[in-house]
Amino acid sequence: MNVRNDSDPLSTAVEWVSRLVEIETVSRNSNLGLIETVQDFLAGVGLKTHLTYDARKTKANLFATIPAADGRVEGGILFSGHTDVVPVDGQDWHTDPFRAVIKDDRLYGRGSADMKGYLGVLLSLVPELTDAHLAEPVHLAFSFDEEVGCLGVPLLLADMRERGIRPTGCIVGEPTSMRPVIAHKGLNHYRCCVVGRSVHSSLTPSGVNAIEYAARLICFIRDMADEFRRTGPFDKDFDVPYTTAQTGLVRGGVALNTVPNECQFDFEIRDLPGTDVRHLVRLIEAYGADLEAQMKAVFDGASVTFSCLGAAPSLSEVEASAIVQLARALTHDSVRRKVAYGTEAGYFSSAGVPTVVCGPGNIEQAHRPNEFVELAQLQKCEAFLRSATLLSVQDGVSASSLPSRSVMRRPPEDDGET
């Protein structure tokens, strides 16, 4: 696919987005093809990269820094995004999901909105930034397995701590239609496994029906969710203003005439900032323990166990933080926007790096068939990212203070200017 047009600066960004979309990085597979592509590109412009791998060495995070003009790597803004995408299995796509297609000023493809649009625009600006005399360093972070529980970003943060890298602020480019998001809910994935006793259904009283006991637990979680909806706590700035809980997957049983001896279900809790999620999980576990005691009265080998599949902390950024004010000034948007979906931003914020979420595309397109990002959104993102490198987030910023140049440059010390 050739969309190059030297008279159109955006075409470089579109080429990068297209290239990333066409590298298939569904979470269940490796992302090394994409990471190595980016690593080779960054090496070509003189940047060193640091990779952190998963335990099997099949996936990696990538981190790189474009130093300030004086060589500093401390401070500056971190631009972060995940490389993995969700599956397309069973979805009704009108085009090949792993081939970028441009139609009606939209770029279609899996990950175009979530979130290879942001990553592609960011990469398209790298040559410009490496040639510039930046007042502050710029950091790039590409992570793995965000879609399955934010598994990569803790390793990336540990590597940053070990190397003493502490950005002044972070912008996570999840799709927000280029409007700053200052808070989001936490996301907690759990699995419950109920083990009973299998017998012929004609002997039901001597068996322990794992599905039926699991159903009681599922109803308990639903009752808890209904209570959140009725009594809160509430935060009206969120699109869904209370904590939610729901069961998304259930597996169990082999035949109608057989009492099932096992049932497994996955549930999630999306918590408002400040919620004691561990307390909520303890309530669910306590109810499970009561059910287990009832089951053991019939069959001593019965059990109810829980495991955490993944968790991402909530984000609640201080309104007055410099990174929030910078994002507001660059987008001319002052709405207190808070969302129900989770991102890696909570991890950066919890690590002491003030963080805001702002990226191209609409979250309503994420994970859906025929996912797309509008080219106008990519253009807005390009202008936003370029301008974000102009200003130090250590200083206060307002829309009126934004410089008009495309890249902040420090005059070389030997150029004779005063």
Side-chain angles (χ1 to χ4, degrees), residues 61 63 120 134 167 194 226 238 290 313 326 345 380 411:
N61 304 307
F63 188 94
L134 296 174
V194 181
D226 289 343
F238 275 88
D290 289 343
L326 175 64
K380 286 183 178 180

Side-chain angles (χ1 to χ4, degrees), residues 99-142:
R99 179 180 178 276
V101 173
I102 297 176
K103 182 180 180 181
D104 298 329
D105 294 323
R106 296 173 174 178
L107 190 154
Y108 289 86
R110 173 56 86 221
S112 55
D114 185 19
M115 56 182 298
K116 292 179 177 180
Y118 175 79
L119 298 182
V121 173
L122 186 58
L123 287 170
S124 74
L125 292 175
V126 166
E128 181 179 336
L129 298 180
T130 56
D131 288 342
H133 296 281
L134 296 174
E136 299 290 337
V138 169
H139 308 281
L140 314 177
F142 291 12

